Amino acid sequence: MKGSHAVRRLHPGEADEVVDVLHEAFFDYPVMRFVLAESGAYDRELRALISFFVAARVHRDEVLLGIDDGDGLSAVALVSYPGRKAPAAVAADRERLWAELGSEARLRYESFGAACAPLEVDAPHIHLHMIGVRDRSRGRGLGRALLESVHDLSARDPVSTGVTLTTELPANVPLYEHFGYELVGSAAVEGELTTWGFFRPD
């Protein structure tokens, strides 16, 4: 329990609802618009991309966190463990994804990954892959509650030394600094798209 918000670890059977929350929260997120560009099927392709991210966490036995508001999940977070070997199912899902989205979307996604690579932290850590709140639940402290639960995961982990994350929204930079994150650096991706990398030590 974080404040008045109960954060719980989600089970794989809730993956579709996790996708629904993130699909809403990330609909106009800069990276999604960059990767999918001017897709004529943006809504469907965004769902496919987010579904892959969620399925990868499930296949790797990583952590999905969520908060319920009485009408289903209202906020979720995906946590990954850098260096953990991915099972074959992840590679198979990845190839199916890019077969659907196309080679140009794949190149844009890989260019984003290349821009983020110098921002990686050498020390063992966990990574906050995605965090999203439904529109109806914004401004209620749910994101903060999820962040605190992710930090708790790291603090209890015998190997992790802290939590990393990236953001592509300039307004989030002072927000994460307010939550105790240290700016690792920034990198231009393409055009006006910039990514900022953060680390919060335990």
Side-chain angles (χ1 to χ4, degrees):
M1 177 79 73
K2 296 295 172 186
S4 60
H5 306 302
V7 179
R8 63 184 179 87
R9 182 164 181 172
L10 306 176
H11 56 79
E14 296 175 281
D16 287 346
E17 196 172 359
V18 173
V19 172
D20 286 343
V21 174
L22 294 174
H23 178 268
E24 179 179 322
F26 281 81
F27 195 82
D28 283 315
Y29 197 72
V31 173
M32 305 306 180
R33 290 290 182 181
F34 169 70
V35 171
L36 300 177
E38 299 301 322
S39 168
Y42 179 79
D43 185 87
R44 175 180 58 78
E45 293 185 354
L46 176 64
R47 186 170 293 276
L49 185 60
I50 292 174
S51 294
F52 168 72
F53 294 147
V54 174
R57 307 284 77 77
V58 171
H59 287 316
R60 290 160 59 106
D61 193 28
E62 293 178 326
V63 178
L64 311 179
L65 297 173
I67 299 174
D68 298 286
D69 64 0
D71 292 316
L73 288 176
S74 54
V76 299
L78 310 184
V79 173
S80 60
Y81 292 79
R84 180 175 290 186
K85 185 177 180 180
V90 174
D93 285 351
R94 183 182 298 111
E95 292 309 310
R96 282 191 291 270
L97 174 72
W98 298 125
E100 177 180 351
L101 301 188
S103 59
E104 291 186 3
R106 183 173 194 162
L107 287 172
R108 288 190 293 269
Y109 180 77
E110 290 174 349
S111 72
F112 171 71
C116 291
L119 306 178
E120 294 177 1
V121 173
D122 288 336
H125 63 278
I126 64 177
H127 181 68
L128 177 54
H129 186 69
M130 299 179 81
I131 182 169
V133 180
R134 286 193 184 274
D135 292 342
R136 69 179 187 235
S137 300
R138 292 185 181 275
R140 294 168 45 197
L142 276 63
R144 176 192 290 268
L146 286 169
L147 281 175
E148 291 178 358
S149 288
V150 174
H151 301 154
D152 288 346
L153 282 176
S154 180
R156 295 196 306 268
D157 189 297
V159 176
S160 179
T161 63
V163 178
T164 63
L165 60 82
T166 60
T167 186
E168 290 68 51
L169 292 176
N172 283 348
V173 173
L175 176 67
Y176 286 124
E177 289 176 331
H178 173 74
F179 287 131
Y181 282 86
E182 301 169 357
L183 182 63
V184 175
S186 64
V189 181
E190 184 176 301
E192 296 182 358
L193 181 60
T194 298
T195 185
W196 289 267
F198 288 90
F199 176 64
R200 175 173 160 171
D202 292 336

